[in-house]
Amino acid sequence: MRLLLINVLLFLFFGTIAQDKKALDSLTEQAKGTNIIKKVIALNELCRLYSGTDNSKAMDFAKEALNLSLSAKNTSLIAQSKNRLGTIYDYKGIIDSANANYIEALKIFENLGDKSGIASVYQNIGVMYYFQNDLDKAIDYYNKAIVLRNKTNELEFVAKLQNNMAAIFRRQKKYDLAIDYYRRSIEIKTRFKDQEAIATGYSNLAVTYLYMEKFDSSKALLNKALVINKSLNSNINLAGNYFTFSEISFNEKKYLETKVELKNTLEFAEKAESNDIIYNVYELLWQVDTAIGDYKSAVHNGHLASIYKAKVFKEERAKAVEKLNVLYETEKKDNEINTLNTEQEKEKIRKRLLLFGLLVALTIIFIFGFFYKKIKDKNSLLSFQKREIEDKTEALNKQSAEIARHQSQMNPHFIFNALVSIQNFILKENKHAAANSLSQLSQLMRITLYNSEKDFLTLKEEKQFLDFFVEFEKMRFDNFFTYSFVIDESIDIENTLLPPMIIQPFIENSIKHGLIPKRSGGELRVSIYKKTEASKDLLVIEIKDNGIGRTETSTRKRDINHKSKGIDITLNRIKNAHNLSEQASSEHYEVIDLEDANKDSIGTLVMIKLPFIENF
């Protein structure tokens, strides 16, 4: 289902898209009151409502709520406010701050014995791990939250958590488990007569059966959802239901029925002002017209699809840019604070040295005149040492700035390529796989932003990221190549460190220039092992492909020595990892052209050597 994410696959425990104006006005008025408890509750609720639509305003509400809670010394309100502050940091992609607030809130709730509060933190942490693509940890925290919510008899939250579990299982293609958890969620929602949530549950089940190609079951559930959504006048959900009907008809090659369903979809999508749904409508109409040979109509609908695709892509890019801006502003403020602290320390040192000099001078003049020469010599030595320290400090600062410059180049370069990869993936005709593409783009951005905050990643984190990236590329190019990642058993992957984004550019290079031209039967293998050279332990990384090789690539590109900007940046980072003054040499980076017995090219091997670092 292409870009479509109308049905709620995941119930977020923070943020919402739109709220009733009367409710917002009521909360705003309550937030201006004098009762601190009611005021904090209102501010935290306003933060939740504005998350995703106005993140700056949401952050202001969260911080004001926390400040009021601290001034009142109300531990329960402090925990609630920190939990809410963690959610908005998570929404903005500032993971370290989100995690810190969650941990502080959790400790307070545990000391208070507040099971409901503990559960609310667990479920928010579960959402955070979901968007970091760590699904096992997300499931673990959801299960912990479910246990506590059952004990406190908060069944509405249990239903939402079960829905989240189902979304994960569906994403993992564990469809039987997904169906089981969706049905459990619907059962609870039925008890509370929450019609909108029940309709969403039916819609989610229908999409699951669509993925399984059980079209009759999918239709039956869609009809149930349609009845409820019509009674609620929910334009966005009605558009989603009709579009799922059109997907089923298209799969059954019932093209006239597909067009009827798409007409209904378009009607409600335009009312809901949903560009992504409208784009999907015109794209599917283009496919229908092509299938029935109506090429004139196909050209027209294809043109409309491209217009709305650009609008959708622009909206998503704006969200990504907002997250990048948040990270930039945070880093900028941190740098300003660090600079201020450094200047203050220097001023203290200067004052101490001045005082020390005066005391020494007075002592020399009035008491120990005959020690004058020795003291002078000692001061000269101190001055020399100070200059030496300052020179070394300056050199280290230059090296740190160089590393920071390369990292600031690397991350935007990768994010741009990732966005292009996702865009191409969405445009493929693999309907079922494309359904998750939009949420996966958001997750990939989160992982990239999360990794870029760190100087080092564990080998385990790097492997998880690379597996996710390569899976995108495989889906994008119809899985025409295989991929394996082998780490020597002697290496502790959870405690071995390496700089982030050091392997990805070479993998991307192998796919783009080696495997894609090969078209079929491609193999990509990453091997990592430990090696000792000249009494130094090294982490050796090999990226091997059976692509067309550099010689054939040169005939197509006319420049065998051409390297992408990402490769150039990465080579400089390898240089900095070894503390080298020149470009990374063949001792630390090597490209080997692989040949068979007849000297014909059978692929390329890239070998990288990094210092072996363990987190002990």
Side-chain angles (χ1 to χ4, degrees):
M1 281 175 35
R2 300 169 185 81
L3 288 172
L4 202 56
L5 286 174
I6 304 156
N7 300 316
V8 182
L9 304 183
L10 183 71
F11 276 94
L12 299 182
F13 295 94
F14 55 96
T16 186
I17 296 174
Q19 295 295 329
D20 183 74
K21 186 177 184 302
K22 188 179 293 185
L24 284 174
D25 291 342
S26 175
L27 286 169
T28 303
E29 192 64 29
Q30 187 173 322
K32 295 177 181 177
T34 57
N35 187 309
I36 290 182
I37 294 178
K38 291 182 178 179
K39 192 170 183 176
V40 170
I41 292 172
L43 287 167
N44 280 326
E45 182 64 11
L46 284 168
C47 170
R48 184 184 72 83
L49 300 183
Y50 277 101
S51 296
T53 57
D54 191 337
N55 290 326
S56 297
K57 187 176 288 187
M59 179 66 78
D60 290 340
F61 286 133
K63 288 181 177 179
E64 186 180 352
L66 180 58
N67 289 334
L68 282 172
S69 303
L70 290 169
S71 64
K73 297 181 180 179
N74 187 315
T75 52
S76 179
L77 290 180
I78 291 170
Q80 293 173 32
S81 299
K82 284 187 174 292
N83 189 26
R84 179 60 56 206
L85 190 60
T87 62
I88 188 62
Y89 274 124
D90 181 25
Y91 199 94
K92 284 175 167 284
I94 309 174
I95 304 303
D96 288 344
S97 297
N99 203 36
N101 280 279
Y102 285 148
I103 290 173
E104 291 176 18
L106 191 61
K107 287 180 180 177
I108 297 173
F109 282 134
E110 287 174 344
N111 289 335
L112 294 173
D114 186 343
K115 294 179 181 178
S116 180
I118 295 170
S120 69
V121 179
Y122 281 158
Q123 60 202 26
N124 286 337
I125 293 175
V127 172
M128 180 178 70
Y129 279 122
Y130 177 89
F131 283 111
Q132 292 178 35
N133 201 40
D134 196 338
L135 302 184
D136 291 336
K137 283 187 179 179
I139 289 174
D140 182 44
Y141 276 97
Y142 286 155
N143 277 324
K144 289 180 180 180
I146 287 175
V147 170
L148 291 173
R149 292 297 191 186
N150 276 319
K151 288 182 179 179
T152 56
N153 201 34
E154 295 174 291
L155 298 183
E156 288 180 283
F157 281 106
V158 173
K160 293 180 179 180
L161 287 159
Q162 288 171 339
N163 186 88
N164 286 15
M165 296 277 281
I168 292 176
F169 290 133
R170 192 169 85 182
R171 187 172 154 197
Q172 294 175 329
K173 298 183 180 180
K174 298 176 181 178
Y175 295 127
D176 290 338
L177 280 173
I179 290 170
D180 180 43
Y181 274 85
Y182 276 136
R183 291 196 182 281
R184 292 188 198 181
S185 178
I186 292 171
E187 182 182 349
I188 294 174
K189 295 167 187 174
T190 304
R191 289 191 225 169
F192 289 95
K193 298 180 180 179
D194 187 343
Q195 293 300 305
E196 185 174 7
I198 294 169
T200 299
Y202 287 146
S203 300
N204 284 331
L205 269 175
V207 173
T208 306
Y209 280 115
L210 171 59
Y211 288 170
M212 299 170 71
E213 297 187 353
K214 294 184 177 181
F215 300 134
D216 289 339
S217 298
S218 183
K219 289 178 185 177
L221 289 161
L222 281 173
N223 281 320
K224 290 183 178 181
L226 207 59
V227 170
I228 298 174
N229 286 325
K230 284 181 178 178
S231 68
L232 298 173
N233 292 319
S234 176
N235 292 325
I236 190 74
N237 289 326
L238 285 169
N241 293 153
Y242 280 119
F243 189 81
T244 306
F245 270 122
S246 70
E247 288 275 276
I248 295 171
S249 299
F250 184 76
N251 276 275
E252 294 176 331
K253 297 184 179 180
K254 298 176 180 178
Y255 299 128
L256 292 179
E257 289 185 17
T258 304
K259 283 200 167 189
V260 172
E261 302 296 354
L262 287 174
K263 182 180 178 182
N264 292 330
T265 304
L266 189 60
E267 176 187 347
F268 291 105
E270 288 175 341
K271 290 179 181 178
E273 299 181 350
S274 176
N275 288 332
D276 60 337
I277 304 176
I278 296 172
Y279 158 64
N280 279 275
V281 169
Y282 285 123
E283 187 191 25
L284 189 53
L285 278 171
W286 170 77
Q287 293 185 41
V288 172
D289 291 335
T290 302
I292 63 178
D294 187 353
Y295 300 114
K296 181 178 179 181
S297 180
V299 170
H300 174 70
N301 286 319
H303 175 67
L304 290 173
S306 66
I307 292 173
Y308 280 95
K309 177 186 73 68
K311 291 182 180 181
V312 173
F313 186 72
K314 183 178 179 181
E315 291 167 359
E316 291 306 312
R317 185 171 59 184
K319 292 178 183 177
V321 168
E322 180 193 355
K323 291 182 179 180
L324 288 173
N325 285 335
V326 170
L327 291 174
Y328 169 74
E329 291 298 327
T330 302
E331 183 180 3
K332 182 179 177 182
K333 289 178 182 177
D334 289 342
N335 288 337
E336 290 173 352
I337 292 169
N338 290 334
T339 301
L340 180 61
N341 290 337
T342 301
E343 290 299 324
Q344 290 174 343
E345 287 298 320
K346 286 182 179 179
E347 184 62 27
K348 288 180 181 178
I349 292 172
R350 282 195 290 268
K351 288 180 179 179
R352 289 172 183 169
L353 287 173
L354 179 61
L355 180 61
F356 175 73
L358 289 172
L359 289 173
V360 170
L362 289 172
T363 303
I364 291 171
I365 292 170
F366 293 105
I367 304 175
F368 301 104
F370 60 95
F371 284 117
Y372 173 78
K373 190 177 184 303
K374 289 185 179 181
I375 295 295
K376 184 178 180 181
D377 292 341
K378 185 176 181 180
N379 284 339
S380 297
L381 179 60
L382 286 172
S383 297
F384 173 78
Q385 290 175 339
K386 181 184 175 184
R387 286 195 302 272
E388 187 178 24
I389 290 170
E390 287 175 348
D391 290 342
K392 289 182 179 179
T393 301
E394 184 180 359
L396 287 173
N397 287 338
K398 286 181 179 179
Q399 187 181 30
S400 298
E402 183 71 9
I403 292 170
R405 183 175 68 83
H406 291 318
Q407 279 192 315
S408 68
Q409 289 175 318
M410 187 64 204
N411 291 330
H413 171 81
F414 166 69
I415 291 169
F416 173 78
N417 285 330
L419 287 171
V420 172
S421 296
I422 298 301
Q423 180 188 7
N424 291 332
F425 172 51
I426 292 172
L427 292 175
K428 287 175 64 66
E429 294 184 8
N430 189 339
K431 295 178 291 297
H432 303 316
N436 292 323
S437 61
L438 188 57
S439 64
Q440 288 176 335
L441 170 60
S442 175
Q443 293 149 21
L444 182 59
M445 294 294 292
R446 277 174 171 261
I447 296 169
T448 305
L449 295 173
Y450 173 70
N451 288 350
S452 69
E453 293 178 338
K454 298 184 175 182
D455 293 327
F456 291 94
L457 297 177
T458 65
L459 194 52
K460 180 180 179 181
E461 291 173 323
E462 180 72 0
K463 180 181 182 301
Q464 288 174 341
F465 167 72
L466 292 173
D467 289 345
F468 193 55
F469 172 77
V470 173
E471 191 62 28
F472 271 123
E473 296 295 275
K474 286 178 65 181
M475 289 182 183
R476 177 184 165 195
F477 297 107
D478 296 327
N479 294 290
F480 71 82
F481 68 91
T482 61
Y483 163 69
S484 59
F485 197 115
V486 180
I487 302 174
D488 190 85
E489 294 180 355
S490 64
I491 297 176
D492 183 355
I493 64 173
E494 293 186 350
N495 288 297
T496 301
L497 304 179
L498 73 166
M501 306 294 291
I502 207 80
I503 304 175
Q504 182 272 338
F506 297 102
I507 290 179
E508 182 180 1
N509 212 43
S510 290
I511 295 172
K512 182 178 179 181
H513 299 301
L515 297 177
I516 291 177
K518 186 180 177 70
R519 297 187 179 277
S520 64
E523 296 178 5
L524 176 64
R525 178 184 178 90
V526 179
S527 303
I528 299 180
Y529 56 90
K530 182 180 178 182
K531 185 177 183 180
T532 302
E533 291 183 358
S535 301
K536 293 183 179 179
D537 289 336
L538 298 175
L539 186 69
V540 183
I541 303 164
E542 294 183 354
I543 301 101
K544 181 180 179 182
D545 67 71
N546 68 338
I548 64 173
R550 291 197 299 172
T551 301
E552 176 64 20
T553 300
S554 69
T555 63
R556 302 185 182 197
K557 294 174 60 178
R558 298 184 180 180
D559 184 5
I560 193 170
N561 294 315
H562 170 78
K563 293 192 293 293
S564 69
K565 186 176 182 181
I567 297 295
D568 285 334
I569 293 169
T570 305
L571 293 180
N572 279 326
R573 296 179 67 211
I574 294 171
K575 171 195 75 175
N576 288 321
H578 287 281
N579 294 318
L580 299 175
S581 60
E582 302 296 333
Q583 176 70 324
S585 66
S586 59
E587 296 179 8
H588 309 105
Y589 166 74
E590 186 177 3
V591 181
I592 302 170
D593 296 310
L594 304 177
E595 297 177 340
D596 60 14
N598 297 323
K599 300 296 183 179
D600 292 328
S601 176
I602 57 173
T604 308
L605 172 65
V606 176
M607 181 180 293
I608 306 166
K609 296 178 183 178
L610 299 172
F612 190 83
I613 304 173
E614 290 186 291
N615 187 25
F616 291 125

